Amino acid sequence: MLSIKNLHASIGGKEILKGINLEIKAGEVHAIMGPNGSGKSTLSAVLAGKEDYDVTEGEVIFNGKNLLELSPEDRAREGIFLAFQYPVEIPGVSNVNFLKTAINEIRAYKGLEPMAAKDFLARLKEKQKLVELDGKLANRSVNEGFSGGEKKRNEIFQMAMLEPKLAILDETDSGLDIDALRIVADGVNKLKSNDNATVVITHYQRLLDYIIPDVVHVLYNGKIVKTGPKELALELEEKGYDFIKAEAAV
Amino acid sequence: METITKKNTIKDKLLSEFELSKNSLFGNIELREHAAKSFSEQGIPNRKHEEYKYVNIDLLLKGDFSLTANKTLTSAQTAPAYFLEDAYNAVIVNGIFDTALSKLNDVPKDLHICSLADAVKNYPAVFENYYSKTLDVTADPFTALNTAMAKNGLFIHAAKNSIIEKPIHIIHISSSEENTIIHPRNLIVIEENAQIKIVESYQTIDASAKTFNNALTEMIIDENASLDHYKIQDENDWGFLVNTTHAVQKKQSRFSTHTFILSGSFVRNNLNIALDGEYTESHLNGLYLTNGNQVVDNHTLVDHRKPNCNSNELYKGIIDGKSTAIFNGKIYVRKDAQKTNAFQSNKNILLSDDGTINTKPQLEIYADDVKCSHGTSTGKLDEDKIFYLRARGLSETSAKKLLMHAFASQVVDTIKIDTLREYVEDKISKRFE
């Protein structure tokens, strides 16, 4: 589904990603772990198409398409979803209205008619339940006045509404208490299928108790320095990132 | 037809037209002569005039202008104008109230709508009491000019304790085939404990030349009365509008005024509100969408004269093209006006590199126990918000449109008349296309 080869990216002339290689297949859950400043958020931003970053080398192929040539909206329309680490507040834009616009622009890209109002409402209801999102929140302005946990839940709600092929969760666990974490993880698990894939980017192992990864990658200093089964996450938790740093230094 | 040649200044021509026509105009001639004298002393403001320093009004008035503005329209010609549904629609053509074009059926008996000349005859006490009493002709040249030259504008009177359910819509139509200066004038009196909604719209119909519109509305909101007021300024490129509003609020009255500037080559608003009684409440909302070479200048003055009053002002603008927007908001808290709450905010989005915004909040506070604040911000559309929306599949264009709508909605949502709000929303949507 996603194939990243030798990806280099920099911001303001400073290289952050220094040759990332990653293969993700449909039905898989990948975890990318790493210490602060290793390039985790840069990787998610580059995949989503944030224009602040310059890709200097490498390629990203997503379902046969050269992802790096697509605008952010076309990436979303092709099925990439980024759950933001810090979702922005957009006063005056209602969640529901914005999701309706998003769904219909994605459908138009695929040559489909706009979604019928009653189908949209049915999906809204179903997905709200799935992520245990209060109906009042869904009708409010996007993230305006939401708590940290509500914002993250709203990200998963949007993901549920848009039904992406590849979801990238950028530190979705940061700032969440254990109850909110469970709800978010539960939502992600329910949305998992054989046709989609999930990339979980996190600093902590705890989220991976709830979203069980097939593969764990360790990102350090702009490169994936270690890849292993889910047990790798536990090892990292136990030994800390210092052992990776020590290994990388060798 | 009187036209001006370039040899004489526009001021001279206006004054000689005044001498020719003054005996045919309604009302008190001494008042008009006093105003004309004051106008003669003040002249047409240029950039040296502190209150008009961002706009070259004297340049706008270069060239030939007709001062008689005696064009009339048929109902077929005014059919394309915007009439408000389920309302009393009064049509003013080039400053003159036209009963035949108006739709004023079933006006309740405690609401009086007529021309100012008829008001002089039929409601002399009200007219004498209030006409030209809220303003100082020596303080502003356009107020002086209008007071001297005003033709037969509109009089609205809501009797004591009346509740007028339907809104009154004053349709100001500018229509000219040669460059013309007009001076529309309204007097609105809301008596004690009455409640009323008034919409003023400024529209251009069947025009092929400039209209310089020097419009003035006086509003008296008496004790415990309530006025919900809207201005929709939507003249086309032929429209050059100076729109002055003088409002006086008495004890415990409520006044909400909303200004929407959707088009017009030049718009200058002077909105002056005197909170002249205790426990009054004033809300001032404004939205301006500018483009091309438009110049839009909003001057507001909130004059807190008595204790325990609240005022709240929010003006927002989206500036595009080579247009210029000016916001100058003055809050004046007099020595006696203790326990005043006065808030003001001006927010702007600058869409283009060539657009200009000048924003100047002014607070003058002479009382010591007050809460006042003001804030202003100007910026581009937030890139992080645009990216967030694009990352969900919205095109850049629709992301920007959505954000502009969201920005404007804070002001648009304050419109309490549903059909009017829909009309304004629709106008705004078309502007964002």
Side-chain angles (χ1 to χ4, degrees), chain A residues 112-125:
Chain A
L112 299 170
E113 292 289 306
M115 194 178 232
K118 74 168 173 34
D119 296 341
F120 177 78
L121 284 176
R123 190 192 284 194
L124 202 67
K125 248 187 182 162

Side-chain angles (χ1 to χ4, degrees), chain A residues 49-51 72-73 76-77 81-82 84 88-93 98 102 105 143 155 158, chain B residues 383-385 387-399 402-403 405-407 409:
Chain A
K50 197 148 172 64
E51 281 149 3
E73 54 268 40
R77 293 160 180 175
F81 180 91
L82 171 65
F84 284 73
V88 292
E89 299 194 9
I90 314 184
V93 175
F98 141 65
E105 290 204 20
N143 295 323
E155 292 293 288
Q158 291 175 26
Chain B
E383 290 294 335
D384 287 337
K385 289 178 187 166
F387 179 68
Y388 186 86
L389 295 169
R390 292 177 76 190
R392 297 292 177 258
L394 272 71
S395 70
E396 193 174 354
T397 314
S398 39
L402 205 58
L403 291 175
H405 267 288
F407 180 80
S409 69

Side-chain angles (χ1 to χ4, degrees), chain A residues 14-250:
Chain A
K14 188 171 185 272
E15 189 167 58
I16 310 283
L17 301 182
K18 300 170 180 171
I20 303 268
N21 292 291
L22 192 61
E23 293 288 332
I24 296 171
K25 294 190 184 67
E28 291 180 345
V29 175
H30 287 236
I32 298 177
M33 301 184 70
N36 290 329
S38 58
K40 300 192 300 290
S41 285
T42 300
L43 177 61
S44 61
V46 166
L47 292 178
K50 197 148 172 64
E51 281 149 3
D52 305 354
Y53 296 92
D54 299 316
V55 174
T56 51
E57 225 184 305
E59 64 167 24
V60 180
I61 304 296
F62 178 63
N63 286 334
K65 291 216 162 107
N66 183 351
L67 196 72
L68 299 175
E69 283 180 354
L70 299 178
S71 64
E73 54 268 40
D74 283 351
R75 296 179 196 204
R77 293 160 180 175
E78 289 289 343
I80 299 256
F81 180 91
L82 171 65
F84 284 73
Q85 183 178 3
Y86 303 110
V88 292
E89 299 194 9
I90 314 184
V93 175
S94 88
N95 249 330
V96 171
N97 192 11
F98 141 65
L99 281 169
K100 196 187 283 169
T101 312
I103 285 175
N104 286 335
E105 290 204 20
I106 292 168
R107 288 177 68 89
Y109 180 78
K110 294 175 178 163
L112 299 170
E113 292 289 306
M115 194 178 232
K118 74 168 173 34
D119 296 341
F120 177 78
L121 284 176
R123 190 192 284 194
L124 202 67
K125 248 187 182 162
E126 180 204 332
K127 306 298 184 181
Q128 240 167 264
K129 218 166 143 190
L130 190 99
V131 297
E132 299 176 39
L133 188 78
D134 192 330
K136 274 181 260 159
L137 289 185
N139 284 306
R140 288 226 315 250
S141 288
V142 179
N143 295 323
E144 190 185 17
F146 285 26
S147 70
E150 285 167 345
K151 282 182 187 168
K152 296 299 174 74
R153 223 186 296 173
N154 195 23
E155 292 293 288
I156 304 306
F157 170 60
Q158 291 175 26
M159 172 179 150
M161 288 296 290
L162 299 176
E163 302 178 337
K165 295 197 187 95
L166 176 71
I168 304 161
L169 312 182
D170 186 10
E171 309 226 10
T172 295
D173 51 336
S174 66
L176 287 193
D177 62 30
I178 194 71
D179 295 329
L181 185 83
R182 270 197 209 111
I183 293 169
V184 164
D186 196 36
V188 172
N189 288 330
K190 282 180 193 158
L191 294 169
K192 229 174 87 175
S193 79
N194 289 330
D195 303 322
N196 62 27
T198 311
V199 177
V200 181
I201 294 174
T202 182
H203 182 78
Y204 302 104
Q205 184 270 335
R206 197 174 60 185
L207 178 64
L208 305 180
D209 287 341
Y210 299 95
I211 303 172
I212 312 292
D214 299 301
V215 192
V216 175
H217 308 275
V218 181
L219 187 64
Y220 178 65
N221 198 17
K223 279 184 178 172
I224 288 175
V225 293
K226 208 173 173 75
T227 295
K230 63 175 189 283
E231 289 75 17
L232 177 59
L234 292 168
E235 194 184 348
L236 278 173
E237 181 81 355
E238 201 179 308
K239 297 184 183 169
Y241 283 110
D242 286 347
F243 99 96
I244 295 291
K245 291 178 190 174
E247 269 185 23
V250 173

